[in-house]
Amino acid sequence: MVIPADQPFQVRSEQTSPAPELVCRILVVDDDPALRQSLPRALARNGRKFSESDTVAGAIALLEREPFDLVLLDYRLPDGTGLAVLDWLAQHQREEAVIMISGEDALDAAIGALRGGADDYLRKPYHVAQLQRAVESALHKAALERANRAMSQRLRTSERLHRYLVESSPDLIFTLDAEGRFSYLNPRVKALLGYDRNVLMRRPFTTLVMPEDVDRIATLLYAPVAGPGESFHVELRLRRNRELLAGDSPEWITVALTGIPMPAREDGRRGGGLYGVARDISERKRAEEIISFQAYHDQLTRLPNRVLFKDRLELAIAQAQRRTGALAVMFIDVDRFKLVNDTFGHAEGDMLLRGIAARLAGTLRRGDTLARLGGDEFTVLLPDINGPQDAEVIARKILDSLSAPFPLSHGDFRATASIGIALFPRDGDGAEDLTRHADIAMYQVKRSGKNGFRFFDIALNSHYRERIVLENDLRTALERREFELHYQPQISLTQHRVVGMEALLRWNHPNLGLVSPATFIPVAEEMGLIGDISRWVLEEACGQLARWREAGHNDLRMSLNLSPHDFDSQDVVTMVTECVERHRLPPSQLELEITESMMMQDAAGVAAKVRGLREAGLSVAIDDFGTGYSALAYLQKFPVSTLKIDRSFVRELEGPNTNPIISAITGIARGFGLQLIAEGVERSEQAETLRTLGCDVMQGFLYARPAPAAEATAWLYDAPDASALH
Ligand code: C2E
Ligand code: CA
Ligand code: CA
């Protein structure tokens, strides 16, 4: 097979060589017919075929037609000498073995024959055995030569094949000498790295390696190795010749390099040199980077995610432990984010989150990690701080950074955040503990009015645990009928009787006993359970009022407390009016207590609902009046029927010195035509002062503590007497 060097192979499965030629052709050239007859007989063997000729010309004619393995050639022939046949064979580069047979004595005939290419010379007369030996050995020699020729042909082919494979390989293939310099490079180096291979020959391999990788590869290249056949595999970056490569080609590419030390020494040990194959894996590297980026980052903000944060935190903890340093973890929760999301949609919400992420990132130093855990929760790792004050500085910076409004398509939004901070090692020595403790501290900020920061405090932790218990049990409290209403009477001093009852919720916890509403109502509000609870309270209080009315207490008023959330999320007006109708109650006998702070939160929405309640004939009281900001302006918008003077003012009433605020409140009530109820009246002097200020209805321990319905019923017949407590 002849292979043009610059033409690709047709790769075929390795050719099976034809079955060894069994036929051995022998041409007998002699003008003696007797000899032509006897020779084949003497030499006959299986597979031997004989042809014959009696002239030079005849012999050549036969040779032209087909190849022979052996020619038995008479020296003297009618049309010339056997030498002419030898000449012809030589000229035609024939491979037939030739045994010259001659009666000539002359030595020069024999020499001429052997020079002319004959393999052997036999002198007549000869012994048959002599002839047979000569023929066997000539045939054997010819067979060897043929095999040898075939072998070197195959070698040439194979060498060309391998060269072709190496030179046209899509991989960069090279060899290095014992000093690590290129001794061979395939042409691929041009396309891959932009160098001519001649330029690189005899240059050290390391000149192509990026400086950061040189040490790594040098140890592999020059390290003594154990035995033959071992190889190494590394990924490293190779410099590219950007002058020769197109436009914005990268400075380097990543290659996977397989190196095989070359056994140049006889004992097979590495004598020096290396055979290397390098493949461009930049694409794969990029893909891996993208995949790992996605696995470790948040899609929306491109910040590290929970997994990466935990990783970095663990690392930072390990480092801090080594150098006995400190670090801080912050848990940041955006206040009122849900509002934006619910009101303006997710697109706006996402925009806001990205904006917030950018501001937060702007407050941090290099080496700090800002991560988004999901939703509106972010965490910050400050891996190197000197003390709490450092974390405090950052927390303040973060709060500051949010103070400028975020322009959303529906208008500006002022974001605030609640930040909890946990310190290593003070607040925990594991990533999980620190994050959880920062979360607890954040949670405390939320509970105490949001927009601020707070350090974790172990006391908060136990509180937090209790809270978890509370949360779990609160979910099932309604269905387990653990709630109960107590009633506290409101007593008219002039009428000497109970004019109203305030329904106050009690939770009979199976283990904790009676849990104060001040404890569990805020939790229920946060958990979104307050709606169901309020509904239950409303139903229960209305049912109780209906029973008292049936018993003849027709002008009794029932007060109950509503949560701001009832005004946010449900249609209180329908809820209340339906309940009142169901129990056939005159609406004015039901009084709903709302707080001052509610009136300010979303003035328009709440105001409309309060008006709705009033239009339906219900009474509305402002609870804890006077504790919020001056509510005078609101009173015009909120058509309430009653003001409840907060306990804190009542407490300050000492003897005849009147509190100017209470005077103002009583004045306002008179001016707006509102009823007044004083709360938390504990001492008769307080009642006395209130009475002189024009407040008639009292509620407080002086008269009665809240009590279950059965007990409260008794007060309807026999009003609790203030004097009885003295
Ligand atoms: P509030 O509406 O201001 O209720 C009056 C609270 O003052 C009651 O506490 C009552 O027991 C207490 N109190 C009454 N007289 C005196 C007194 O002379 N001195 C003192 N020191 N305290 C007195 P309670 O029952 O623990 O309720 C606490 C708060 O829980 C209530 O304050 C109210 O805001 C809320 N709450 C109670 N029941 C409900 C309810 O059914 N729904 C809602 N949303 N909130 C409720
Ligand atoms: Ca109340
Ligand atoms: Ca109150």
Side-chain angles (χ1 to χ4, degrees):
M1 176 162 56
V2 176
I3 296 143
D6 53 353
Q7 221 176 292
F9 284 102
Q10 303 236 312
V11 178
R12 275 185 238 137
S13 58
E14 198 182 312
Q15 281 188 336
T16 45
S17 43
E21 188 72 72
L22 289 174
V23 185
C24 176
R25 289 170 217 283
I26 299 176
L27 173 60
V28 181
V29 188
D30 205 309
D31 52 347
D32 177 353
L35 237 148
R36 292 209 301 276
Q37 293 255 308
S38 63
L39 264 177
R41 245 180 281 127
L43 297 174
R45 288 280 190 293
N46 253 353
R48 283 188 183 166
K49 272 176 68 179
F50 293 83
S51 304
E52 54 187 69
S53 171
D54 53 357
T55 58
V56 170
I60 287 174
L62 283 173
L63 282 165
E64 271 176 338
R65 222 181 316 140
E66 59 177 335
F68 288 85
D69 297 284
L70 174 67
V71 183
L72 296 173
L73 187 57
D74 189 15
Y75 187 81
R76 201 155 293 282
L77 291 163
D79 55 347
T81 65
L83 294 176
V85 176
L86 281 177
D87 278 352
W88 186 91
L89 287 171
Q91 266 168 30
H92 291 84
Q93 295 174 327
R94 297 289 291 246
E95 292 167 3
E96 281 86 351
V98 178
I99 298 176
M100 186 71 93
I101 301 170
S102 167
E104 298 294 317
D105 268 339
L107 190 61
D108 45 331
I111 291 169
L114 293 171
R115 274 215 188 111
D119 296 274
D120 207 347
Y121 184 88
L122 217 62
R123 206 175 141 259
K124 294 181 195 170
Y126 49 80
H127 201 276
V128 180
Q130 225 180 332
L131 171 71
Q132 280 168 342
R133 252 199 321 277
V135 165
E136 292 306 332
S137 99
L139 282 175
H140 181 66
K141 194 172 143 217
L144 282 181
E145 275 171 4
R146 243 195 335 274
N148 192 26
R149 270 195 305 278
M151 175 82 81
S152 51
Q153 178 60 42
R154 267 210 300 284
L155 273 177
R156 270 197 303 282
T157 307
S158 140
E159 205 259 1
R160 238 178 270 162
L161 172 68
H162 288 128
R163 178 166 291 276
Y164 173 80
L165 291 179
V166 169
E167 301 256 299
S168 58
S169 163
D171 295 333
L172 169 61
I173 296 175
F174 58 88
T175 57
L176 302 180
D177 63 18
E179 276 73 51
R181 293 174 310 206
F182 285 109
S183 49
Y184 169 82
L185 279 146
N186 74 346
R188 181 71 184 145
V189 69
K190 182 73 182 255
L192 214 54
L193 301 175
Y195 300 104
D196 270 325
R197 58 172 150 176
N198 300 335
V199 176
L200 291 177
M201 286 298 267
R202 302 290 148 217
R203 294 261 221 104
F205 175 72
T206 45
T207 54
L208 282 187
V209 178
M210 289 299 282
E212 299 92 302
D213 293 342
V214 165
D215 284 350
R216 214 151 44 92
I217 186 68
T219 47
L220 285 169
L221 289 183
Y222 307 116
V225 283
E230 104 237 46
S231 64
F232 62 83
H233 189 86
V234 282
E235 286 179 6
L236 71 159
R237 289 161 300 168
L238 295 185
R239 288 169 191 282
R240 310 180 80 195
N241 180 355
R242 284 204 290 180
E243 282 162 31
L244 274 183
L245 286 169
D248 53 355
S249 61
E251 189 188 347
W252 43 266
I253 55 165
T254 311
V255 296
L257 169 68
T258 304
I260 302 167
M262 290 205 287
R265 291 170 23 165
E266 303 224 315
D267 56 8
R269 296 194 35 143
R270 181 174 168 191
L274 179 118
Y275 162 74
V277 179
R279 168 170 298 184
D280 180 2
I281 53 163
S282 305
E283 280 307 320
R284 194 192 87 202
K285 278 285 180 202
R286 262 192 295 282
E288 280 173 2
E289 270 163 29
I290 290 169
I291 290 167
S292 89
F293 186 85
Q294 284 173 349
Y296 291 108
H297 290 80
D298 162 50
Q299 296 269 42
L300 179 70
T301 58
R302 306 184 69 75
L303 291 176
N305 64 9
R306 186 186 294 274
V307 182
L308 183 53
F309 183 79
K310 184 160 175 275
D311 245 40
R312 297 224 179 131
L313 179 52
E314 278 165 358
L315 195 74
I317 290 172
Q319 281 168 351
Q321 258 155 355
R322 262 201 302 281
R323 55 176 168 73
T324 56
L327 63 82
V329 174
M330 285 184 180
F331 205 106
I332 306 174
D333 192 289
V334 182
D335 300 329
R336 292 173 301 138
F337 174 73
K338 203 171 164 314
L339 193 79
V340 175
N341 232 16
D342 292 351
T343 329
F344 303 132
H346 291 295
E348 292 284 275
D350 287 355
M351 206 160 89
L352 179 61
L353 281 176
R354 272 197 290 263
I356 289 172
R359 297 237 187 123
L360 296 182
T363 61
L364 301 178
R365 305 159 302 183
R366 273 174 70 106
D368 297 345
T369 296
L370 170 67
R372 179 175 173 234
L373 299 196
D376 54 356
E377 292 177 344
F378 295 86
T379 45
V380 172
L381 162 65
L382 306 174
D384 188 14
I385 55 164
N386 292 319
Q389 67 284 354
D390 286 1
E392 189 172 331
V393 169
I394 304 277
R396 285 189 201 285
K397 267 213 238 166
I398 289 176
L399 294 174
D400 267 4
S401 78
L402 296 177
S403 63
F406 288 91
L408 299 179
S409 59
H410 293 80
D412 286 357
F413 178 81
R414 262 168 223 281
T416 58
S418 302
I419 306 176
I421 308 168
L423 300 173
F424 169 89
R426 193 186 75 185
D427 302 332
D429 55 6
E432 235 152 79
D433 272 0
L434 286 170
T435 314
R436 195 162 45 84
H437 290 167
D439 186 11
I440 292 170
M442 182 282 291
Y443 186 77
Q444 288 298 319
V445 178
K446 282 261 187 239
R447 292 206 59 185
S448 54
K450 309 180 169 134
N451 191 20
F453 67 89
R454 192 158 182 168
F455 284 91
F456 173 73
D457 163 354
I458 197 72
L460 301 182
N461 196 20
S462 56
H463 180 92
Y464 187 77
R465 283 210 193 101
E466 277 167 26
R467 186 193 147 95
I468 288 174
V469 172
L470 220 59
E471 281 189 7
N472 283 336
D473 296 346
L474 202 50
R475 274 181 224 285
T476 50
L478 260 184
E479 58 194 64
R480 290 193 195 157
R481 300 169 172 278
E482 289 167 0
F483 289 124
E484 145 180 20
L485 284 186
H486 283 193
Y487 301 91
Q488 188 177 31
Q490 297 167 343
I491 289 152
S492 161
L493 296 182
T494 50
Q495 298 177 47
H496 299 288
R497 67 173 189 98
V498 175
V499 290
M501 292 279 195
E502 179 175 4
L504 293 160
L505 185 58
R506 297 290 176 262
W507 178 15
N508 236 319
H509 189 278
N511 310 322
L512 304 173
L514 274 191
V515 183
S516 158
T519 308
F520 71 83
I521 294 272
V523 180
E525 286 175 344
E526 259 168 55
M527 293 172 69
L529 297 173
I530 192 68
D532 290 340
I533 294 178
S534 295
R535 210 179 287 274
W536 182 87
V537 169
L538 179 66
E539 181 62 35
E540 183 74 13
C542 286
Q544 185 56 55
L545 182 59
R547 280 191 290 283
W548 278 330
R549 288 177 62 79
E550 269 167 40
H553 310 288
N554 284 316
D555 44 9
L556 184 67
R557 195 180 52 219
M558 174 71 81
S559 297
L560 54 89
N561 296 279
L562 286 181
S563 150
H565 291 257
D566 297 323
F567 283 80
D568 278 354
S569 50
Q570 44 185 303
D571 188 358
V572 254
V573 184
T574 10
M575 179 178 91
V576 174
T577 49
E578 275 176 13
C579 189
V580 164
E581 275 166 29
R582 205 166 41 247
H583 292 278
R584 297 181 213 287
L585 300 172
S588 64
Q589 295 306 97
L590 194 71
E591 185 161 81
L592 304 159
E593 299 191 358
I594 61 173
T595 58
E596 240 180 332
S597 59
M598 246 173 82
M599 306 200 303
M600 292 175 298
Q601 270 177 12
D602 167 19
V606 177
K609 287 176 182 170
V610 169
R611 261 196 301 278
L613 289 169
R614 292 292 285 141
E615 277 157 19
L618 292 142
S619 302
V620 174
I622 297 184
D623 208 350
D624 310 336
F625 188 74
T627 51
Y629 302 90
S630 163
L632 274 182
Y634 294 103
L635 283 178
Q636 323 214 297
K637 278 201 284 178
F638 289 81
V640 299
S641 40
T642 308
L643 298 184
K644 294 188 80 174
I645 302 172
D646 188 64
R647 200 160 63 221
S648 56
F649 302 115
V650 175
R651 204 188 306 133
E652 286 167 22
L653 291 177
E654 290 295 329
N657 351 334
T658 59
N659 182 309
I661 295 181
I662 298 213
S663 317
I665 293 174
T666 53
I668 290 164
R670 256 195 309 271
F672 282 87
L674 304 173
Q675 299 209 43
L676 265 183
I677 300 176
E679 276 193 298
V681 182
E682 293 182 352
R683 286 150 15 122
S684 50
E685 302 92 79
Q686 294 167 339
E688 185 51 31
T689 310
L690 286 161
R691 197 182 57 79
T692 55
L693 284 170
C695 179
D696 181 48
V697 182
M698 307 284 147
Q699 180 183 347
F701 294 171
L702 176 62
Y703 305 96
R705 292 188 178 248
E711 213 171 306
T713 306
W715 301 324
L716 296 175
Y717 298 97
D718 185 9
D721 188 353
S723 58
L725 285 152
H726 279 287

